[in-house]
Amino acid sequence: MLPAGERKLALWNMGVAYTAFLIGTLAGLLQVFIRNDALELPAWLDYYQILTAHGVLLALIFTTFFIFAFFISGMSKSIGAFGPKVLLWNWIGFLVMLAGTILATVMIVIGEASVLYTFYAPLMANPWYYVGLALFVIGSWIMGFALVGHYMKWRKVNRGELSPLFAFMTVTTIVLWVIACLGVVATVLFQYIPWAFGWVDTINVELSRTLFWYFGHPLVYFWLLPAYMAWYTVVPKILGVPVFSDSLARLAFILFILFSIPVGFHHQLMEPGISDFWKFLQVVLTFMVILPSLMTAFSMFANFERAGRKNGGKGLFGWFTKLPWKDLRFTSIFIAMAFFIPGGAGGIINASFQLNEIVHNTLWIVGHFHITVGTPVAMTFMGLTYWLIPYLTGRKFSNTMKKLGFIQIGLWSVGMLLMSTAQHILGLLGAPRRTAYSGYNGHESALEWFDGILTNHVTMAVGGSILFLSAMLLLYIVIMSAFVSPKAVEPHEFVEFPLAESDKRATPKILENWWLWIGIAFLLIIIAYAIPIAQMIQHAPPGSRGFITW
Amino acid sequence: MHLHKYEKIWLVFGTVCLIAFLSIVGVNAFAHDHTPAGGIHTIDPEKVRETAPFNEPGVKQLDDDTYQAAIVASAFAYDGGETLEVPVGKEIIFKITSTDVVHSFTIDNTNVNMMVVPGQVTTKAYTFKEPGTYLIICNEYCGTGHHFMYTEIEVTE
Ligand code: HEM
Ligand SMILES: [Cu+2]
Ligand SMILES: [Cu+2]
């Protein structure tokens, strides 16, 4: 068991994560019904207010707090107990993040910030919304640096040694996060806050969009890499095999630092202000992350096959049936991975320069991130939650809970399949995202979108309701394992943190040479961004005043 | 660093796919001129109504085969002159800008899907293949009226 300090810290992070999850999924449920005109909101509540809450609370708050709970537990488990300083800074970071979260949420709830989680200028929210977001990022940096400090201490004591895989991956993810946030911090601190408080009159819109997306894409890797960490380090342990290849895993993570940041233009392919050449360059760089993704897929399936054969699986695919399907910890993550296959393929479509024209800002995109973040990432987190909370609280995880867990992931899969398939097809037909759908005055071609077998008004709502049911079941399990389930007494009743052995004898030392990789990352960023950003500043149009259009 | 034999095959396969995808996209873009909406013309967002071509929004014939449609987007409507009417089979150059927040100009059943950013002029050339009435919608969130922001374009023989 971990020391009490880390357990408390991780549990608090988890608590905030699941509170956000509760409100966020409730918003999701309302959305599917409002879009179908099945529900009318009271005058003080607006669709876009709810959508902002949904995006912020699920995509930013739930993920980030959960990720830190996982990091804290795993770092303490893999490289040892935190010192008092590391603990203190983690708490400070947590409180700053929490303060930012509360501030931003209050602004959303009182209707002062219906600008969605992308807060594109010149929509102008209450300045305190931006302050809240800034505090949230700063808090995450403080926690991140505290964890890096813990890691550096380990390195000092174990000079010349490669760090354990979990710690290495945590540091990679934090490095990625800090570099990525530079963009959003720059725009929020130097553009949005002065402008929203009225210290300057106008804002350079195109520049703010570019700085936002410099951050916005690596943001998705900040969600994804912790899930990959579980796939690389936790799953093999559950399967009873060692990590497939330590060096491969580390290389994949390094490649994510290099190729997830200089690619933000692929979110801006349809807009002016950036010349085709620079857009295309970033499309090329975007495609590079296909390589580490394929590497990850390979090692996952290699592990599955190894484990299946070890358990007596014969023939080409016999090993598949021998996987531990009865183990909730495994099955949840397996389904999460399975969703990532169409998710990744959809991502290639989105990034494909011209193909993006077909799907940009349609419901396809919403379908896409529900089968990337909303399922592979979220369901991996659910799979981790089942054992992480009992592990942290020292409570039992009973058979009833396991059964409920299976129902929960089953419902989530079915709900998501329905909802995201409908969204993908609707998007291809042309239905836009981010609308309290109104039917465009009953326009014929708008009505046609909803004529299909899967794309009618009911399917998305049924999918969304099943998802919400699943979310409530999950929260029940969370509350039970946090507060109610009986304490474990016998040694076998204690839940373990499954962390696989990883053989690093063949791993090249250069993979842990941070300055080298951070240096190359900055070089790529400069190549991809320096000239277009300089142009945006030099050839800037007169800036925009703020608008409150909600 | 040790790599498994199958893994090498897998990575070579991946790399080849990557090169193939990117070549297709690249050739399409730069040899066949299939590039998405864009442009690097700036404009004062406060003076849109005084700046050509947006001082006279609407459709204008440039030469035998080319037309220009100048459109002003603002919360929550498009101004494209009296009626937006263009001929089928001719190249239409859409030019559009915003007087307030970010919008989009998305024509249903076509691949015209352009972001409209204040301070910038977005350009996209498109040739309609079928006559008819096309629905145009805003698919970038622009405020409470976002889902009411639409218009139509008449494509005639
Ligand atoms: C009960 C489960 C859920 C339901 C019913 C649901 C439903 C929806 C719907 C209908 C939309 C589209 C709204 C629109 O474009 O008008 C949406 C957007 C979104 N969802 Fe979910 N969702 C759920 C869970 C999640 C989860 C777990 C995540 C991420 C961890 C997530 C992240 C997002 C994001 C980022 C958006 C885009 C918000 C925006 O456009 O600003 N959702 N969701
Ligand atoms: Cu609009
Ligand atoms: Cu709009």
Side-chain angles (χ1 to χ4, degrees):
Chain A
M1 230 177 167
L2 297 183
E6 281 94 306
R7 283 193 283 140
K8 195 165 162 198
L9 189 60
L11 280 168
W12 268 95
N13 276 280
M14 200 75 111
V16 179
Y18 276 105
T19 309
F21 187 76
L22 170 67
I23 313 172
T25 47
L26 186 63
L29 181 74
L30 295 176
Q31 281 157 213
V32 285
F33 284 106
I34 300 166
R35 289 187 65 104
N36 295 348
D37 283 335
L39 186 79
E40 204 160 323
L41 288 175
W44 53 272
L45 199 60
D46 171 75
Y47 181 80
Y48 300 106
Q49 205 174 341
I50 292 179
L51 188 57
T52 308
H54 182 76
V56 170
L57 289 172
L58 285 172
L60 298 176
I61 310 299
F62 163 65
T63 48
T64 307
F65 279 96
F66 184 92
I67 287 166
F68 277 101
F70 182 51
F71 283 178
I72 290 161
S73 322
M75 286 295 266
S76 177
K77 164 91 184 166
S78 64
I79 58 174
F82 291 0
K85 262 207 213 135
V86 174
L87 266 181
L88 176 70
W89 281 106
N90 262 302
W91 276 113
I92 294 174
F94 168 79
L95 291 173
V96 173
M97 233 161 90
L98 185 61
T101 302
I102 294 172
L103 187 54
T105 311
V106 167
M107 289 303 138
I108 298 170
V109 171
I110 62 173
E112 290 278 310
S114 299
V115 292
L116 309 184
Y117 81 115
T118 42
F119 55 90
Y120 294 143
L123 288 170
M124 188 163 74
N126 187 305
W128 294 102
Y129 177 68
Y130 306 116
V131 173
L133 294 178
L135 286 176
F136 176 77
V137 170
I138 292 166
S140 77
W141 280 13
I142 298 175
M143 283 180 101
F145 286 133
L147 292 175
V148 171
H150 185 51
Y151 160 87
M152 295 212 308
K153 202 164 147 226
W154 186 95
R155 289 270 302 236
K156 232 185 232 150
V157 176
N158 301 271
R159 216 171 262 293
E161 249 187 86
L162 282 169
S163 61
L165 189 55
F166 190 99
F168 174 87
M169 290 176 153
T170 301
V171 175
T172 323
T173 313
I174 293 170
V175 167
L176 176 136
W177 177 242
V178 172
I179 302 179
C181 285
L182 293 174
V184 76
V185 167
T187 179
V188 167
L189 288 190
F190 300 122
Q191 292 195 279
Y192 282 94
I193 289 182
W195 168 70
F197 276 111
W199 305 331
V200 297
D201 291 332
T202 61
I203 187 165
N204 180 338
V205 176
E206 193 54 38
L207 180 64
S208 74
R209 295 174 64 78
T210 299
L211 290 172
F212 178 84
W213 283 117
Y214 163 98
F215 154 84
H217 193 73
L219 168 66
V220 311
Y221 286 96
F222 172 68
W223 304 328
L224 197 58
L225 290 187
Y228 276 12
M229 286 169 66
W231 301 3
Y232 273 111
T233 65
V234 171
V235 170
K237 177 72 175 185
I238 298 172
L239 292 169
V241 292
V243 171
F244 176 71
S245 159
D246 184 85
S247 43
L248 182 86
R250 289 180 203 240
L251 179 63
F253 267 58
I254 294 291
L255 291 179
F256 278 117
I257 296 193
L258 301 187
F259 292 113
S260 69
I261 301 173
V263 298
F265 284 172
H266 74 230
H267 291 261
Q268 298 177 278
L269 293 176
M270 300 303 123
E271 68 191 55
I274 306 162
S275 72
D276 285 332
F277 170 79
W278 294 108
K279 288 181 183 172
F280 190 75
L281 179 78
Q282 297 210 2
V283 165
V284 174
L285 292 171
T286 304
F287 270 71
M288 300 303 271
V289 295
I290 294 177
L291 288 178
S293 307
L294 288 178
M295 285 159 66
T296 302
F298 185 91
S299 23
M300 296 307 126
F301 279 88
N303 265 336
F304 295 157
E305 181 173 353
R306 266 192 187 175
R309 293 209 188 282
K310 215 175 101 185
N311 296 337
K314 298 255 163 3
L316 197 52
F317 291 111
W319 51 269
F320 192 72
T321 56
K322 297 285 182 201
L323 293 174
W325 297 111
K326 294 211 172 86
D327 190 332
L328 180 59
R329 298 172 302 171
F330 171 75
T331 308
S332 54
I333 291 188
F334 186 90
I335 299 176
M337 290 177 186
F339 267 92
F340 202 54
I341 298 171
I348 297 179
I349 294 176
N350 299 346
S352 295
F353 209 48
Q354 304 91 348
L355 286 186
N356 186 263
E357 288 190 308
I358 316 286
V359 297
H360 181 72
N361 269 349
T362 67
L363 273 176
W364 163 284
I365 302 300
V366 182
H368 170 69
F369 53 65
H370 282 111
I371 61 165
T372 47
V373 184
T375 310
V377 171
M379 205 190 281
T380 298
F381 291 179
M382 294 168 191
L384 300 176
T385 302
Y386 296 137
W387 57 261
L388 191 51
I389 297 187
Y391 172 74
L392 293 170
T393 55
R395 292 181 192 272
K396 289 196 242 181
F397 195 66
S398 68
N399 281 331
T400 321
M401 287 299 134
K402 272 180 206 156
K403 282 198 193 109
L404 287 177
F406 271 105
I407 298 175
Q408 190 263 317
I409 55 171
L411 288 175
W412 194 270
S413 316
V414 173
M416 209 43 110
L417 215 57
L418 284 175
M419 187 174 89
S420 75
T421 310
Q423 288 169 336
H424 273 98
I425 304 175
L426 277 166
L428 285 181
L429 295 174
R433 72 187 272 210
R434 294 179 154 178
T435 54
Y437 180 66
S438 71
Y440 299 103
N441 219 359
H443 199 282
E444 205 185 320
S445 77
L447 291 177
E448 275 169 18
W449 300 330
F450 295 91
D451 261 354
I453 309 173
L454 263 173
T455 55
N456 53 62
H457 278 299
V458 181
T459 307
M460 228 169 81
V462 171
S465 311
I466 298 176
L467 279 169
F468 183 70
L469 210 67
S470 170
M472 291 307 105
L473 199 53
L474 177 64
L475 284 167
Y476 175 74
I477 298 172
V478 165
I479 290 169
M480 290 300 282
S481 30
F483 304 108
V484 187
S485 292
K487 289 266 182 193
V489 198
E490 304 287 325
H492 73 269
E493 289 172 342
F494 281 93
V495 173
E496 241 324 286
F497 189 129
L499 202 54
E501 293 293 320
S502 129
D503 180 359
K504 31 183 209 206
R505 277 172 305 183
T507 306
K509 286 253 163 30
I510 194 165
L511 287 174
E512 200 151 356
N513 185 339
W514 297 108
W515 295 123
L516 174 69
W517 302 116
I518 295 176
I520 299 179
F522 273 107
L523 197 68
L524 284 170
I525 291 167
I526 290 170
I527 292 173
Y529 275 111
I531 295 175
I533 288 193
Q535 279 170 352
M536 269 171 219
I537 295 172
Q538 275 167 357
H539 302 286
S544 284
R545 291 179 292 123
F547 292 89
I548 300 172
T549 52
W550 67 90
Chain B
M1 196 176 102
H2 169 76
L3 281 181
H4 196 278
K5 185 178 106 203
Y6 288 128
E7 179 141 40
K8 285 184 191 145
I9 298 175
W10 176 240
L11 282 179
V12 169
F13 165 78
T15 312
V16 171
C17 285
L18 194 73
I19 294 171
F21 287 175
L22 282 171
S23 314
I24 295 171
V25 171
V27 168
N28 234 315
F30 296 104
H32 300 170
D33 228 14
H34 280 240
T35 49
I40 39 172
H41 277 270
T42 57
I43 185 171
D44 185 340
E46 304 275 335
K47 301 206 173 89
V48 169
R49 293 292 184 178
E50 300 143 45
T51 314
F54 303 103
N55 51 351
E56 282 176 52
V59 180
K60 204 171 90 187
Q61 183 160 16
L62 297 182
D63 60 43
D64 276 356
D65 294 313
T66 339
Y67 289 73
Q68 171 183 289
I71 294 147
V72 179
S74 49
F76 302 101
Y78 300 100
D79 180 1
E82 296 281 275
T83 50
L84 260 180
E85 197 180 315
V86 298
V88 75
K90 306 273 179 187
E91 185 176 64
I92 319 295
I93 299 168
F94 289 99
K95 282 191 185 291
I96 177 159
T97 191
S98 166
T99 59
D100 45 41
V101 298
V102 179
H103 301 273
S104 96
F105 182 85
T106 303
I107 309 181
D108 193 25
N109 293 322
T110 71
N111 59 1
V112 178
N113 191 351
M114 51 212 280
M115 301 298 289
V116 185
V117 181
Q120 310 270 344
V121 179
T122 323
T123 308
K124 166 90 192 170
Y126 187 75
T127 307
F128 288 91
K129 286 161 214 86
E130 301 276 345
T133 308
Y134 289 74
L135 174 65
I136 296 173
I137 58 172
C138 176
N139 75 5
E140 179 60 84
Y141 170 68
C142 51
T144 7
H146 165 55
H147 50 289
F148 296 119
M149 184 158 168
Y150 73 97
T151 185
E152 283 174 357
I153 186 165
E154 201 73 51
V155 180
T156 53
E157 284 291 349

